[in-house]
Amino acid sequence: MNLTPAASTRRARAVFPAVLLLLAALIIVALLVGDVPLSPAEIWAGLCRQDAHAATIIWDLRVPRLLVAMAVGAALSASGLVMQAYFRNSLASPDLLGVSGGGTAGAVIAIGTGWASASLLVLPMMAVLGSLAATGAVLILARRGTGPERLLLAGIALNALLGAVTGYVLTNFTVSYERNAQIIFWMLGGLEDRGWKHVWMAAPIPLAAALLWPLGRPMDLLSLGADEAQSLGVDVRALRRRLLALATVMTALATAVAGTVGFVGLVVPHVLRLLVGPEHRRLVPLALAGGATFVLACDLLGHLAGLRVGIVTALVGGPFFLWLLRRAP
Amino acid sequence: MNALELDHATVPGRLTDVSLALPAGTLAGLVGPNGSGKSTLLQIAAGLLPPGGDVQWAARPVADIPMADRGRLAAWVPQEARFEFGFTVRSVVAQGRFAHGDDGHGVDDALAQFDLMALAERPVTRLSGGERQRVLLARALATDAPLQLWDEPLAALDVRHALATLQLARSLTRGGKTLLFSLHDLRVAHCLDLLIVLHEGRRRAIGPPATVLTPALLLEVFGVRASIAPDLMLQLP
């Protein structure tokens, strides 16, 4: 790219409003499109709760689904961005490192044992526990300063291990066909039948995003080396702890409400970095908005094509990842 | 007053019981064979490794200095510059102002000092090794920290930039800053105020270069025989 600095800054500034505009447009489309055809007038009546039938469809089906899609996208994309800066590795992401897999294993245990039916909090908490365990394992397997190969190999090993845990629960714990089906559907990643209880499960995500927002600048320094960052006045230990906690919790909650939705944390930060450069003060808000936009778009696409959102993100993300590997020096 | 004081600094297996004191305004060099502990000593001096002893900057124990203040008091340059993300040269140098609230002071000057103006908008991932080294040196300069700790700043530089860097180092210490850097080229040592020789993790000698670099020490520490002969002389025009 042969842009003058002024032109590239102008373009970088234009990206955030453009993403917000796209997100707003997708929100409107998501309200308009659904299994039950409604006219714009009916939708308006539903939004204003003047038509009971339309109001149910809008407020109990479409709005929660759209909110969950946005929360999941924002969480996964921001987690990917954080992990890439943390590990100084642009291939790091919650799914490749096994953090999503940890959340899946935790949640599958919660469903398989039946604990999840005890309280609304059990499923997300088990997902968080699973993700925390996976994050801890990645940290131990890939000590700092290790190259990208070691980190990704640690992720592969961890994903295989967590897959075994999930498979064990699936074959040995489950008593009812129904619960098994629930697990499998859930593992494929989907946003069907998401209701307000899922919105509440995902409610800490905006809070985590708000905590992440001001960390963009120190993330810049961290992404060029921990020792360097510390010598420049960043409290690296505190920053790393905070970043990892936020990324893990966001990934876990996204996994708890939507199952396994892959590649978001890899694709979105990469595309945004290509568009606006590596400065995290810009990337953090953009990753949140861009992730929400991406998952919402994938869900709409999947809805129209009859595919679950996890399948759509994998169809988009898989080829993108291969392209990235080819491109990497 | 001493700008840097190390008291019995020890890192198991890497450095044993090293003490030294650098008065403010000193241009000091750190020499020793590969693996003698030079980088470890610089990291300890920069407060990046637990010293197992005492480290003081301007008579303040480093352990008591809040992280945010450290970025204003000392700058450290690593031996190897590795960048994963394509920040521009200017934005990496501007990171030197992080501890000053990103005020951007002196960034252009630091770029100019290291001959980086023409590269200012280029991503650091597309630089040569020597250029990357100069970016990190410029970032250290931009911090305006009174204590500068550079790990082999000259190793990757071509002869002109190496001489310019030495000249800049001298002008920094004339201005009251204190600079400690490691080096391999002993022919540079003669222009320093103070030379510290490390050998197998221990301080083997410390003092003015002329008194430290004796043929006996060179043979013992580096395993080379020294002789003085007419040589190719290189100077900045």
Short mmCIF file of all heavy atoms in Angstrom, two decimals, chain A residues 1 5 84-85 88-91 145-146 148 217-221 223-224 227-236 273 278-281, chain B residues 43 46-48 67-68 70-71 74-76 78 80 82-88 91-92 94-96 98-99 102 121 124 126 136 139 143:
data_model
loop_
_atom_site.label_atom_id
_atom_site.label_comp_id
_atom_site.label_asym_id
_atom_site.label_seq_id
_atom_site.Cartn_x
_atom_site.Cartn_y
_atom_site.Cartn_z
N MET A 1 0.84 -1.20 0.00
CA MET A 1 0.00 0.00 0.00
C MET A 1 0.88 1.25 0.00
O MET A 1 1.73 1.41 0.86
CB MET A 1 -0.87 0.01 1.25
CG MET A 1 -2.12 -0.83 1.10
SD MET A 1 -3.00 -0.96 2.66
CE MET A 1 -1.95 -2.12 3.54
N PRO A 5 0.98 9.29 4.68
CA PRO A 5 0.52 9.15 6.07
C PRO A 5 -0.82 9.84 6.29
O PRO A 5 -1.69 9.30 6.97
CB PRO A 5 1.63 9.83 6.87
CG PRO A 5 2.64 10.31 5.92
CD PRO A 5 2.33 9.77 4.57
N GLN A 84 -3.52 -11.75 20.66
CA GLN A 84 -2.46 -11.48 19.70
C GLN A 84 -1.43 -10.50 20.27
O GLN A 84 -0.23 -10.68 20.09
CB GLN A 84 -3.07 -10.94 18.40
CG GLN A 84 -3.73 -12.05 17.61
CD GLN A 84 -4.89 -11.58 16.75
OE1 GLN A 84 -4.95 -10.41 16.37
NE2 GLN A 84 -5.80 -12.47 16.44
N ALA A 85 -1.91 -9.48 20.98
CA ALA A 85 -0.98 -8.54 21.59
C ALA A 85 -0.22 -9.20 22.74
O ALA A 85 0.99 -9.02 22.89
CB ALA A 85 -1.73 -7.31 22.10
N ARG A 88 2.26 -11.63 21.39
CA ARG A 88 3.04 -11.06 20.28
C ARG A 88 3.00 -12.01 19.09
O ARG A 88 4.01 -12.35 18.50
CB ARG A 88 4.51 -10.91 20.69
CG ARG A 88 4.76 -9.80 21.64
CD ARG A 88 6.17 -9.85 22.11
NE ARG A 88 7.11 -9.32 21.12
CZ ARG A 88 8.41 -9.28 21.30
NH1 ARG A 88 8.93 -9.76 22.38
NH2 ARG A 88 9.19 -8.78 20.38
N ASN A 89 1.79 -12.44 18.76
CA ASN A 89 1.66 -13.45 17.73
C ASN A 89 0.34 -13.22 17.02
O ASN A 89 -0.72 -13.34 17.62
CB ASN A 89 1.68 -14.82 18.41
CG ASN A 89 1.68 -15.94 17.40
OD1 ASN A 89 1.20 -15.79 16.28
ND2 ASN A 89 2.21 -17.06 17.80
N SER A 90 0.41 -12.88 15.74
CA SER A 90 -0.83 -12.51 15.07
C SER A 90 -1.69 -13.72 14.72
O SER A 90 -2.77 -13.56 14.18
CB SER A 90 -0.52 -11.69 13.82
OG SER A 90 0.45 -12.35 13.05
N LEU A 91 -1.22 -14.93 15.03
CA LEU A 91 -2.05 -16.11 14.80
C LEU A 91 -2.77 -16.58 16.07
O LEU A 91 -3.53 -17.53 16.03
CB LEU A 91 -1.22 -17.26 14.23
CG LEU A 91 -0.63 -17.03 12.85
CD1 LEU A 91 0.13 -18.27 12.39
CD2 LEU A 91 -1.71 -16.70 11.84
N GLY A 145 8.12 -15.64 25.42
CA GLY A 145 9.30 -15.60 24.59
C GLY A 145 9.38 -16.77 23.64
O GLY A 145 10.28 -16.84 22.82
N THR A 146 8.42 -17.71 23.72
CA THR A 146 8.48 -18.83 22.80
C THR A 146 7.88 -18.43 21.47
O THR A 146 7.05 -17.55 21.37
CB THR A 146 7.72 -20.05 23.34
OG1 THR A 146 6.45 -19.60 23.76
CG2 THR A 146 8.47 -20.69 24.47
N PRO A 148 5.99 -18.67 17.65
CA PRO A 148 4.61 -18.95 17.25
C PRO A 148 4.33 -20.44 17.11
O PRO A 148 3.24 -20.91 17.44
CB PRO A 148 4.46 -18.24 15.91
CG PRO A 148 5.82 -17.86 15.47
CD PRO A 148 6.68 -17.81 16.69
N ARG A 217 -3.57 1.74 24.61
CA ARG A 217 -2.23 2.30 24.49
C ARG A 217 -1.16 1.39 25.12
O ARG A 217 -0.18 1.05 24.45
CB ARG A 217 -2.20 3.71 25.12
CG ARG A 217 -0.85 4.39 25.00
CD ARG A 217 -0.38 4.46 23.55
NE ARG A 217 0.90 5.13 23.43
CZ ARG A 217 1.69 5.00 22.36
NH1 ARG A 217 1.33 4.23 21.36
NH2 ARG A 217 2.84 5.64 22.30
N PRO A 218 -1.32 0.96 26.38
CA PRO A 218 -0.31 0.03 26.89
C PRO A 218 -0.22 -1.28 26.09
O PRO A 218 0.85 -1.88 26.02
CB PRO A 218 -0.74 -0.24 28.34
CG PRO A 218 -2.04 0.42 28.53
CD PRO A 218 -2.24 1.41 27.45
N MET A 219 -1.34 -1.69 25.45
CA MET A 219 -1.27 -2.89 24.61
C MET A 219 -0.31 -2.69 23.44
O MET A 219 0.36 -3.63 23.01
CB MET A 219 -2.67 -3.24 24.07
CG MET A 219 -3.48 -4.13 24.99
SD MET A 219 -5.20 -4.19 24.44
CE MET A 219 -5.09 -5.39 23.12
N ASP A 220 -0.27 -1.47 22.90
CA ASP A 220 0.68 -1.17 21.83
C ASP A 220 2.09 -1.54 22.27
O ASP A 220 2.85 -2.20 21.56
CB ASP A 220 0.70 0.34 21.52
CG ASP A 220 -0.43 0.74 20.60
OD1 ASP A 220 -1.11 -0.15 20.08
OD2 ASP A 220 -0.62 1.96 20.42
N LEU A 221 2.46 -1.06 23.47
CA LEU A 221 3.82 -1.26 23.95
C LEU A 221 4.06 -2.74 24.25
O LEU A 221 5.12 -3.28 23.92
CB LEU A 221 4.09 -0.39 25.19
CG LEU A 221 4.43 1.07 24.87
CD1 LEU A 221 3.22 1.85 24.42
CD2 LEU A 221 5.08 1.76 26.05
N SER A 223 2.70 -5.24 22.83
CA SER A 223 2.74 -6.05 21.61
C SER A 223 4.11 -5.99 20.95
O SER A 223 4.38 -6.73 20.02
CB SER A 223 1.65 -5.61 20.63
OG SER A 223 2.00 -4.39 20.03
N LEU A 224 4.98 -5.08 21.42
CA LEU A 224 6.34 -5.05 20.88
C LEU A 224 7.35 -5.58 21.89
O LEU A 224 8.55 -5.38 21.73
CB LEU A 224 6.71 -3.62 20.47
CG LEU A 224 5.95 -3.08 19.25
CD1 LEU A 224 6.45 -1.69 18.90
CD2 LEU A 224 6.11 -4.00 18.06
N ASP A 227 9.50 -6.86 28.12
CA ASP A 227 10.59 -6.16 28.81
C ASP A 227 10.68 -4.71 28.33
O ASP A 227 10.85 -3.78 29.13
CB ASP A 227 11.92 -6.86 28.55
CG ASP A 227 12.09 -8.08 29.44
OD1 ASP A 227 11.35 -8.18 30.44
OD2 ASP A 227 12.94 -8.93 29.13
N GLU A 228 10.56 -4.54 27.01
CA GLU A 228 10.60 -3.20 26.46
C GLU A 228 9.48 -2.35 27.04
O GLU A 228 9.70 -1.21 27.46
CB GLU A 228 10.44 -3.25 24.92
CG GLU A 228 11.65 -3.75 24.19
CD GLU A 228 11.61 -5.25 23.96
OE1 GLU A 228 11.06 -5.98 24.83
OE2 GLU A 228 12.12 -5.71 22.93
N ALA A 229 8.27 -2.93 27.10
CA ALA A 229 7.12 -2.19 27.62
C ALA A 229 7.37 -1.80 29.07
O ALA A 229 7.12 -0.66 29.47
CB ALA A 229 5.86 -3.04 27.50
N GLN A 230 7.90 -2.74 29.84
CA GLN A 230 8.13 -2.42 31.26
C GLN A 230 9.17 -1.31 31.41
O GLN A 230 9.02 -0.41 32.22
CB GLN A 230 8.59 -3.67 32.01
CG GLN A 230 8.70 -3.39 33.49
CD GLN A 230 8.87 -4.65 34.30
OE1 GLN A 230 8.50 -5.72 33.87
NE2 GLN A 230 9.43 -4.50 35.48
N SER A 231 10.22 -1.36 30.57
CA SER A 231 11.24 -0.32 30.71
C SER A 231 10.70 1.04 30.28
O SER A 231 11.25 2.07 30.64
CB SER A 231 12.49 -0.69 29.89
OG SER A 231 12.28 -0.41 28.54
N LEU A 232 9.62 1.04 29.51
CA LEU A 232 9.03 2.31 29.09
C LEU A 232 7.97 2.81 30.08
O LEU A 232 7.34 3.84 29.84
CB LEU A 232 8.41 2.19 27.69
CG LEU A 232 9.42 1.99 26.56
CD1 LEU A 232 8.73 1.58 25.28
CD2 LEU A 232 10.24 3.26 26.34
N GLY A 233 7.76 2.07 31.15
CA GLY A 233 6.86 2.55 32.19
C GLY A 233 5.51 1.86 32.26
O GLY A 233 4.61 2.32 32.95
N VAL A 234 5.35 0.73 31.55
CA VAL A 234 4.10 -0.03 31.65
C VAL A 234 4.22 -1.02 32.80
O VAL A 234 5.23 -1.71 32.91
CB VAL A 234 3.83 -0.80 30.33
CG1 VAL A 234 2.57 -1.64 30.46
CG2 VAL A 234 3.72 0.15 29.17
N ASP A 235 3.20 -1.09 33.64
CA ASP A 235 3.21 -2.11 34.68
C ASP A 235 2.77 -3.42 34.02
O ASP A 235 1.60 -3.79 34.01
CB ASP A 235 2.24 -1.72 35.80
CG ASP A 235 2.40 -2.62 37.02
OD1 ASP A 235 3.02 -3.70 36.88
OD2 ASP A 235 1.91 -2.25 38.10
N VAL A 236 3.76 -4.12 33.46
CA VAL A 236 3.47 -5.24 32.58
C VAL A 236 2.72 -6.35 33.30
O VAL A 236 1.77 -6.92 32.76
CB VAL A 236 4.77 -5.77 31.93
CG1 VAL A 236 4.54 -7.10 31.27
CG2 VAL A 236 5.27 -4.77 30.92
N ARG A 273 -6.66 -4.77 11.24
CA ARG A 273 -5.26 -4.34 11.25
C ARG A 273 -4.81 -3.96 9.84
O ARG A 273 -4.07 -3.00 9.65
CB ARG A 273 -4.38 -5.44 11.83
CG ARG A 273 -3.30 -4.89 12.74
CD ARG A 273 -2.43 -5.98 13.31
NE ARG A 273 -2.88 -6.39 14.62
CZ ARG A 273 -3.28 -7.61 14.91
NH1 ARG A 273 -3.29 -8.55 14.00
NH2 ARG A 273 -3.67 -7.90 16.13
N PRO A 278 -1.68 -1.10 13.19
CA PRO A 278 -1.61 -1.89 14.42
C PRO A 278 -1.89 -1.13 15.72
O PRO A 278 -1.74 -1.70 16.79
CB PRO A 278 -0.15 -2.37 14.40
CG PRO A 278 0.58 -1.28 13.71
CD PRO A 278 -0.37 -0.64 12.74
N GLU A 279 -2.28 0.14 15.66
CA GLU A 279 -2.46 0.91 16.90
C GLU A 279 -3.70 0.44 17.66
O GLU A 279 -4.82 0.50 17.15
CB GLU A 279 -2.60 2.40 16.59
CG GLU A 279 -1.59 2.94 15.62
CD GLU A 279 -0.40 3.59 16.31
OE1 GLU A 279 -0.51 3.86 17.53
OE2 GLU A 279 0.62 3.81 15.66
N HIS A 280 -3.49 -0.01 18.90
CA HIS A 280 -4.60 -0.62 19.63
C HIS A 280 -5.63 0.37 20.13
O HIS A 280 -6.75 -0.01 20.42
CB HIS A 280 -4.06 -1.46 20.79
CG HIS A 280 -3.37 -2.71 20.33
ND1 HIS A 280 -2.04 -2.74 20.01
CD2 HIS A 280 -3.85 -3.95 20.08
CE1 HIS A 280 -1.72 -3.96 19.62
NE2 HIS A 280 -2.79 -4.70 19.63
N ARG A 281 -5.25 1.63 20.26
CA ARG A 281 -6.28 2.60 20.68
C ARG A 281 -7.40 2.63 19.65
O ARG A 281 -8.55 2.85 19.97
CB ARG A 281 -5.67 4.00 20.82
CG ARG A 281 -5.29 4.29 22.25
CD ARG A 281 -4.72 5.67 22.36
NE ARG A 281 -3.57 5.82 21.47
CZ ARG A 281 -2.67 6.79 21.59
NH1 ARG A 281 -2.79 7.68 22.52
NH2 ARG A 281 -1.66 6.87 20.76
N GLN B 43 19.98 -5.84 32.19
CA GLN B 43 18.58 -6.03 32.57
C GLN B 43 18.36 -5.78 34.06
O GLN B 43 17.35 -5.21 34.46
CB GLN B 43 18.12 -7.45 32.21
CG GLN B 43 17.74 -7.57 30.75
CD GLN B 43 17.42 -9.00 30.36
OE1 GLN B 43 18.27 -9.87 30.43
NE2 GLN B 43 16.20 -9.23 29.96
N ALA B 46 18.36 -2.17 34.62
CA ALA B 46 17.14 -1.54 34.15
C ALA B 46 15.92 -1.91 35.02
O ALA B 46 14.82 -1.47 34.74
CB ALA B 46 16.88 -1.95 32.69
N GLY B 47 16.14 -2.72 36.04
CA GLY B 47 15.04 -3.10 36.92
C GLY B 47 14.13 -4.14 36.30
O GLY B 47 12.98 -4.28 36.70
N LEU B 48 14.62 -4.88 35.30
CA LEU B 48 13.78 -5.86 34.62
C LEU B 48 13.92 -7.26 35.19
O LEU B 48 13.12 -8.13 34.92
CB LEU B 48 14.12 -5.90 33.12
CG LEU B 48 13.87 -4.59 32.38
CD1 LEU B 48 14.40 -4.68 30.96
CD2 LEU B 48 12.39 -4.26 32.37
N MET B 67 6.24 1.80 38.78
CA MET B 67 6.47 1.44 37.38
C MET B 67 6.39 2.64 36.45
O MET B 67 7.20 2.81 35.56
CB MET B 67 5.43 0.41 36.94
CG MET B 67 5.68 -0.97 37.46
SD MET B 67 7.16 -1.67 36.75
CE MET B 67 7.30 -3.15 37.74
N ALA B 68 5.35 3.43 36.64
CA ALA B 68 5.11 4.53 35.70
C ALA B 68 6.28 5.52 35.72
O ALA B 68 6.62 6.11 34.70
CB ALA B 68 3.81 5.24 36.05
N ARG B 70 9.42 4.75 36.38
CA ARG B 70 10.65 4.14 35.86
C ARG B 70 10.88 4.49 34.40
O ARG B 70 12.01 4.64 33.96
CB ARG B 70 10.58 2.62 36.02
CG ARG B 70 10.58 2.17 37.46
CD ARG B 70 10.79 0.67 37.52
NE ARG B 70 10.45 0.16 38.84
CZ ARG B 70 10.55 -1.13 39.17
NH1 ARG B 70 10.94 -2.01 38.27
NH2 ARG B 70 10.24 -1.52 40.38
N GLY B 71 9.79 4.58 33.65
CA GLY B 71 9.90 4.89 32.23
C GLY B 71 10.50 6.27 31.97
O GLY B 71 10.98 6.53 30.87
N ALA B 74 14.87 5.72 33.45
CA ALA B 74 15.88 4.91 32.78
C ALA B 74 15.32 4.34 31.48
O ALA B 74 14.13 4.02 31.41
CB ALA B 74 16.34 3.77 33.69
N ALA B 75 16.17 4.25 30.47
CA ALA B 75 15.76 3.65 29.20
C ALA B 75 16.65 2.45 28.93
O ALA B 75 17.85 2.50 29.20
CB ALA B 75 15.89 4.67 28.09
N TRP B 76 16.04 1.39 28.44
CA TRP B 76 16.79 0.16 28.16
C TRP B 76 16.56 -0.23 26.71
O TRP B 76 15.44 -0.19 26.22
CB TRP B 76 16.31 -0.94 29.11
CG TRP B 76 16.79 -2.32 28.81
CD1 TRP B 76 18.03 -2.83 29.08
CD2 TRP B 76 16.06 -3.38 28.18
NE1 TRP B 76 18.10 -4.14 28.68
CE2 TRP B 76 16.92 -4.51 28.11
CE3 TRP B 76 14.77 -3.49 27.67
CZ2 TRP B 76 16.51 -5.71 27.56
CZ3 TRP B 76 14.37 -4.69 27.12
CH2 TRP B 76 15.24 -5.80 27.07
N PRO B 78 17.07 -3.38 24.07
CA PRO B 78 17.45 -4.79 23.99
C PRO B 78 18.44 -5.04 22.86
O PRO B 78 18.59 -4.22 21.96
CB PRO B 78 16.13 -5.50 23.71
CG PRO B 78 15.29 -4.48 23.04
CD PRO B 78 15.71 -3.15 23.60
N GLU B 80 18.37 -7.41 20.60
CA GLU B 80 17.79 -7.74 19.30
C GLU B 80 16.40 -7.14 19.21
O GLU B 80 15.60 -7.27 20.12
CB GLU B 80 17.70 -9.26 19.14
CG GLU B 80 17.70 -9.67 17.70
CD GLU B 80 17.49 -11.16 17.55
OE1 GLU B 80 17.67 -11.89 18.54
OE2 GLU B 80 17.14 -11.58 16.45
N ARG B 82 12.89 -7.27 17.66
CA ARG B 82 11.99 -8.15 16.93
C ARG B 82 10.60 -7.51 16.97
O ARG B 82 10.08 -7.20 18.04
CB ARG B 82 11.95 -9.51 17.61
CG ARG B 82 11.24 -10.60 16.83
CD ARG B 82 11.48 -11.95 17.49
NE ARG B 82 10.75 -12.08 18.74
CZ ARG B 82 9.49 -12.49 18.82
NH1 ARG B 82 8.82 -12.78 17.75
NH2 ARG B 82 8.90 -12.60 19.99
N PHE B 83 10.01 -7.28 15.82
CA PHE B 83 8.69 -6.67 15.79
C PHE B 83 7.71 -7.61 15.10
O PHE B 83 7.96 -8.07 13.99
CB PHE B 83 8.72 -5.34 15.03
CG PHE B 83 9.64 -4.32 15.62
CD1 PHE B 83 10.76 -3.90 14.93
CD2 PHE B 83 9.39 -3.78 16.86
CE1 PHE B 83 11.62 -2.95 15.47
CE2 PHE B 83 10.22 -2.84 17.41
CZ PHE B 83 11.35 -2.42 16.71
N GLU B 84 6.59 -7.87 15.74
CA GLU B 84 5.57 -8.72 15.13
C GLU B 84 4.55 -7.88 14.36
O GLU B 84 4.02 -8.31 13.35
CB GLU B 84 4.88 -9.54 16.22
CG GLU B 84 3.63 -10.30 15.78
CD GLU B 84 3.93 -11.50 14.89
OE1 GLU B 84 5.07 -11.99 14.93
OE2 GLU B 84 3.01 -11.93 14.15
N PHE B 85 4.32 -6.66 14.84
CA PHE B 85 3.27 -5.85 14.24
C PHE B 85 3.86 -4.63 13.53
O PHE B 85 4.88 -4.09 13.97
CB PHE B 85 2.27 -5.42 15.31
CG PHE B 85 1.60 -6.58 15.98
CD1 PHE B 85 1.96 -6.97 17.26
CD2 PHE B 85 0.64 -7.32 15.31
CE1 PHE B 85 1.37 -8.06 17.87
CE2 PHE B 85 0.03 -8.41 15.91
CZ PHE B 85 0.40 -8.78 17.18
N GLY B 86 3.23 -4.24 12.45
CA GLY B 86 3.79 -3.21 11.58
C GLY B 86 3.54 -1.78 12.01
O GLY B 86 3.02 -0.98 11.23
N PHE B 87 3.91 -1.42 13.23
CA PHE B 87 3.85 -0.02 13.63
C PHE B 87 4.81 0.79 12.76
O PHE B 87 5.84 0.28 12.34
CB PHE B 87 4.27 0.14 15.09
CG PHE B 87 3.29 -0.40 16.08
CD1 PHE B 87 3.38 -1.72 16.51
CD2 PHE B 87 2.28 0.39 16.58
CE1 PHE B 87 2.47 -2.23 17.42
CE2 PHE B 87 1.38 -0.11 17.49
CZ PHE B 87 1.47 -1.42 17.90
N THR B 88 4.50 2.07 12.56
CA THR B 88 5.44 2.89 11.81
C THR B 88 6.62 3.24 12.71
O THR B 88 6.52 3.20 13.94
CB THR B 88 4.80 4.21 11.34
OG1 THR B 88 4.41 4.95 12.49
CG2 THR B 88 3.59 3.95 10.45
N SER B 91 5.77 5.87 15.16
CA SER B 91 4.94 5.53 16.31
C SER B 91 5.71 4.70 17.33
O SER B 91 5.46 4.79 18.52
CB SER B 91 3.64 4.84 15.87
OG SER B 91 3.92 3.57 15.35
N VAL B 92 6.69 3.90 16.87
CA VAL B 92 7.51 3.16 17.83
C VAL B 92 8.38 4.13 18.63
O VAL B 92 8.49 4.03 19.86
CB VAL B 92 8.39 2.10 17.13
CG1 VAL B 92 9.37 1.48 18.12
CG2 VAL B 92 7.52 1.02 16.52
N ALA B 94 7.70 7.20 19.23
CA ALA B 94 6.80 7.97 20.09
C ALA B 94 6.43 7.20 21.35
O ALA B 94 6.03 7.79 22.35
CB ALA B 94 5.55 8.37 19.32
N GLN B 95 6.56 5.85 21.33
CA GLN B 95 6.29 5.07 22.54
C GLN B 95 7.23 5.45 23.67
O GLN B 95 6.93 5.22 24.84
CB GLN B 95 6.42 3.57 22.25
CG GLN B 95 5.33 3.03 21.35
CD GLN B 95 5.44 1.53 21.13
OE1 GLN B 95 6.42 0.92 21.51
NE2 GLN B 95 4.44 0.97 20.49
N GLY B 96 8.38 6.03 23.32
CA GLY B 96 9.31 6.50 24.34
C GLY B 96 8.69 7.56 25.24
O GLY B 96 9.17 7.82 26.34
N PHE B 98 5.62 7.36 26.42
CA PHE B 98 4.47 6.79 27.15
C PHE B 98 4.43 7.27 28.59
O PHE B 98 3.39 7.70 29.09
CB PHE B 98 4.55 5.25 27.10
CG PHE B 98 3.48 4.58 27.91
CD1 PHE B 98 2.19 4.51 27.44
CD2 PHE B 98 3.77 4.03 29.15
CE1 PHE B 98 1.19 3.90 28.18
CE2 PHE B 98 2.78 3.42 29.91
CZ PHE B 98 1.49 3.35 29.42
N ALA B 99 5.59 7.22 29.26
CA ALA B 99 5.61 7.58 30.68
C ALA B 99 5.47 9.09 30.89
O ALA B 99 5.34 9.56 32.01
CB ALA B 99 6.90 7.08 31.34
N ASP B 102 2.43 10.49 26.68
CA ASP B 102 2.40 10.54 25.22
C ASP B 102 2.35 11.97 24.69
O ASP B 102 1.51 12.31 23.85
CB ASP B 102 1.20 9.74 24.68
CG ASP B 102 1.46 8.24 24.74
OD1 ASP B 102 2.59 7.83 24.41
OD2 ASP B 102 0.55 7.49 25.14
N GLU B 121 7.64 6.93 8.28
CA GLU B 121 6.30 6.37 8.09
C GLU B 121 6.33 4.91 7.64
O GLU B 121 5.32 4.33 7.31
CB GLU B 121 5.50 7.20 7.07
CG GLU B 121 5.41 8.68 7.40
CD GLU B 121 4.84 8.94 8.80
OE1 GLU B 121 4.05 8.11 9.27
OE2 GLU B 121 5.22 9.96 9.40
N VAL B 124 7.83 -0.91 10.87
CA VAL B 124 9.10 -1.44 11.39
C VAL B 124 9.35 -2.88 10.96
O VAL B 124 10.47 -3.35 11.03
CB VAL B 124 9.16 -1.36 12.94
CG1 VAL B 124 9.39 0.05 13.39
CG2 VAL B 124 7.91 -1.94 13.56
N ARG B 126 9.31 -3.80 8.06
CA ARG B 126 9.98 -3.78 6.76
C ARG B 126 11.31 -3.01 6.85
O ARG B 126 11.63 -2.21 5.97
CB ARG B 126 9.07 -3.16 5.70
CG ARG B 126 8.01 -4.17 5.22
CD ARG B 126 7.41 -3.74 3.91
NE ARG B 126 6.20 -2.97 4.10
CZ ARG B 126 5.84 -1.94 3.35
NH1 ARG B 126 6.61 -1.53 2.37
NH2 ARG B 126 4.72 -1.32 3.59
N LEU B 136 15.02 1.49 17.95
CA LEU B 136 14.95 1.30 19.40
C LEU B 136 15.84 2.30 20.14
O LEU B 136 15.49 2.77 21.22
CB LEU B 136 15.36 -0.14 19.76
CG LEU B 136 14.38 -1.21 19.31
CD1 LEU B 136 14.75 -2.56 19.91
CD2 LEU B 136 12.95 -0.85 19.73
N ARG B 139 13.97 5.45 20.23
CA ARG B 139 12.92 5.41 21.25
C ARG B 139 13.50 5.67 22.64
O ARG B 139 12.91 6.38 23.46
CB ARG B 139 12.22 4.04 21.20
CG ARG B 139 11.08 3.92 22.19
CD ARG B 139 10.23 2.70 21.95
NE ARG B 139 10.87 1.48 22.35
CZ ARG B 139 10.30 0.27 22.29
NH1 ARG B 139 9.08 0.16 21.82
NH2 ARG B 139 10.95 -0.80 22.67
N THR B 143 12.78 9.01 25.37
CA THR B 143 12.33 8.99 26.77
C THR B 143 12.97 10.13 27.56
O THR B 143 12.46 10.52 28.60
CB THR B 143 12.74 7.69 27.49
OG1 THR B 143 14.17 7.61 27.51
CG2 THR B 143 12.17 6.46 26.81
#
